[in-house]
Amino acid sequence: YILSHGSDGLWQASGDAVLNANYVLASLKDVMSAPFEGPCMHEALFDDGFLKDTGVSTLDFAKAMIDEGYHPMTMYFPLVVHGAMLIEPTETESKAALDEFIHVLRSLAE
């Protein structure tokens, strides 16, 4: 992977991964709670604050993602964030694919 992409390709791939993660974070932070302010690197991190008093757990949310055809996010990591939901879109995801993913998560969160 590294040899086939070279330094310019790795620069582009890492930049695209950061862009995609920040796009997900910015698109969902009004319906899902982010534990930290500001931009992220290659992972968008949310917590379970938006689920408070709903009777829905982080695990329930992850299972709903599976029902919608998506592999669930990394749950409960990092350990310092209660109910962490770590979403790591790759550099290869198109804007259309990210928009559909965001739409599904937004619908589940609402």
Side-chain angles (χ1 to χ4, degrees):
Y1 182 86
I2 292 171
L3 290 176
S4 67
H5 283 81
S7 64
D8 289 342
L10 289 178
W11 181 261
Q12 182 68 50
S14 61
D16 289 348
V18 171
L19 180 65
N20 287 349
N22 277 285
Y23 182 64
V24 169
L25 180 64
S27 298
L28 292 171
K29 67 180 178 181
D30 64 322
V31 293
M32 294 175 68
S33 46
F36 305 108
E37 290 293 321
C40 61
M41 290 306 290
H42 65 286
E43 302 164 323
L45 178 61
F46 298 96
D47 62 27
D48 63 354
F50 72 101
L51 297 172
K52 186 178 179 184
D53 300 326
T54 65
V56 177
S57 69
T58 305
L59 182 59
D60 295 332
F61 194 84
K63 287 179 180 180
M65 287 178 66
I66 294 170
D67 291 342
E68 294 295 328
Y70 289 97
H71 189 282
M73 65 285 180
T74 300
M75 297 178 355
Y76 306 111
F77 182 82
L79 299 175
V80 296
V81 175
H82 186 270
M85 298 181 215
L86 192 62
I87 299 170
E88 187 173 2
T90 67
E91 67 278 2
T92 60
E93 296 298 334
S94 68
K95 183 174 182 304
L98 289 174
D99 286 340
E100 179 59 29
F101 178 72
I102 289 163
H103 171 75
V104 168
L105 287 188
R106 176 175 288 282
S107 296
L108 292 175
E110 290 172 343

